Amino acid sequence: NTPSILSGTFSQISSHQNHLTKYSTMKLAILSVTISAACAFAPSTPAFTGSALRMSEPETETAPTAVVTAPAASGEAVAAVAVEEVAALGPTLNGWTPDAALPCYGLPGAIAPLGFFDPLGFSKDAELGAVKRLREAEIMHGRVAMMATLGYIIGESTPTITYGMDIHHTIANNQIPEVAGTVLFPFFLAINISEAVRASIGWVEPGLGPLFTLRENYYPGDIRFDPLGLKPQGAAEFDNMQTKELNNGRLAMLAAAGMCAQEQVNGQGILENLGF
């Protein structure tokens, strides 16, 4: 009986082990199928991500290309912007285009040996309108001074209508009080009319803009008075003539001031003081 019992027990144990083996095998099979199914779907995400990265990498690499190729286009754009900025400062007048990078925006008048000479800094950090006003004042005072130097010599040393064509040796500083009002009136009237014409040509009317403002299309000193047709048409020629006029005007301002001071000191006329 004992062998039969043991045999039965071993049979049951063997059957149970077989059942467990089948169950474990089934679980492994289900797990394998599940993992396989998961693996079948799982690669799609890395593949998609990798694809996205591969697609994004060329875009990242092409960005420097855009930056590298941009300077040619951007250089042209910067040049165009620079030209617009220069043009925006003001229109080109008599061949002069305002340039903020140059002293006095590139206006003529700086020559050797001093070059640009502004020791007191009147034009330093000045706006274009202020620089144009300074040039207007300089050139107009220079023209008046050139006439004044001639007036000192002619008025003192040649026959004039004022003194009945006689050579009157009163020094120029003292001649105006001696001139009759009937002569001075038309003289001052002519000055007033000339100044009114100059103001209407070059200056903005009060109420139509800021006070003491030159017109944008007005070149300082160009009042369109050229009866002999001496004004050059080329930009370089005009620059050269304008520089000559400025230098003569500057010299005349010094000369007129010197003549006035000399006559006040010794009471002699200009040529008389020189021994003529």
Side-chain angles (χ1 to χ4, degrees):
N1 292 335
T2 301
S4 60
I5 293 171
L6 292 173
S7 177
T9 302
F10 284 123
S11 297
Q12 290 177 357
I13 292 172
S14 177
S15 175
H16 182 68
Q17 288 178 345
N18 291 336
H19 179 71
L20 289 175
T21 302
K22 290 180 181 180
Y23 181 73
S24 299
T25 303
M26 184 178 295
K27 288 178 64 178
L28 290 173
I30 294 172
L31 181 61
S32 299
V33 171
T34 304
I35 293 173
S36 299
C39 290
F41 289 98
S44 62
T45 302
F48 178 77
T49 304
S51 175
L53 289 174
R54 285 193 297 272
M55 291 178 65
S56 63
E57 287 173 0
E59 292 178 359
T60 305
E61 293 174 358
T62 56
T65 304
V67 173
V68 172
T69 57
S74 64
E76 297 174 358
V78 170
V81 170
V83 171
E84 289 179 359
E85 288 180 352
V86 171
L89 290 176
T92 299
L93 304 170
N94 293 325
W96 167 68
T97 301
D99 187 352
L102 298 175
C104 285
Y105 294 87
L107 282 169
I111 63 170
L114 297 178
F116 176 70
F117 184 73
D118 184 16
L120 299 181
F122 288 115
S123 63
K124 184 179 180 181
D125 300 327
E127 297 180 352
L128 177 61
V131 171
K132 289 177 68 176
R133 287 199 305 272
L134 289 174
R135 174 50 54 85
E136 173 80 359
E138 180 183 24
I139 197 167
M140 289 301 169
H141 281 84
R143 290 171 180 173
V144 171
M146 285 188 280
M147 291 188 290
T149 53
L150 291 176
Y152 265 94
I153 296 174
I154 294 174
E156 293 176 349
S157 308
T158 62
T160 60
I161 298 175
T162 304
Y163 292 106
M165 302 306 294
D166 293 331
I167 298 178
H168 199 74
H169 291 287
T170 303
I171 61 175
N173 288 356
N174 297 334
Q175 285 184 1
I176 291 182
E178 295 181 0
V179 177
T182 54
V183 176
L184 285 178
F185 177 77
F187 176 71
F188 285 116
L189 181 62
I191 293 176
N192 290 334
I193 293 174
S194 300
E195 284 297 294
V197 171
R198 182 175 72 91
S200 65
I201 293 174
W203 297 78
V204 176
E205 294 83 351
L208 299 181
L211 293 177
F212 311 113
T213 302
L214 293 176
R215 300 184 190 276
E216 185 180 12
N217 61 347
Y218 173 69
Y219 185 90
D222 187 5
I223 56 175
R224 301 192 292 271
F225 180 75
D226 185 23
L228 300 179
L230 300 178
K231 178 182 176 181
Q233 298 300 318
E237 293 79 7
F238 181 86
D239 186 284
N240 183 46
M241 179 171 280
Q242 177 80 111
T243 300
K244 291 178 179 179
E245 182 183 20
L246 285 165
N247 287 333
N248 283 299
R250 292 162 180 169
L251 178 60
M253 285 188 280
L254 294 174
M259 290 177 179
C260 180
Q262 177 256 297
E263 291 194 350
Q264 289 297 110
V265 170
N266 60 15
Q268 295 180 347
I270 303 304
L271 295 182
E272 181 184 2
N273 184 70
L274 295 175
F276 293 98

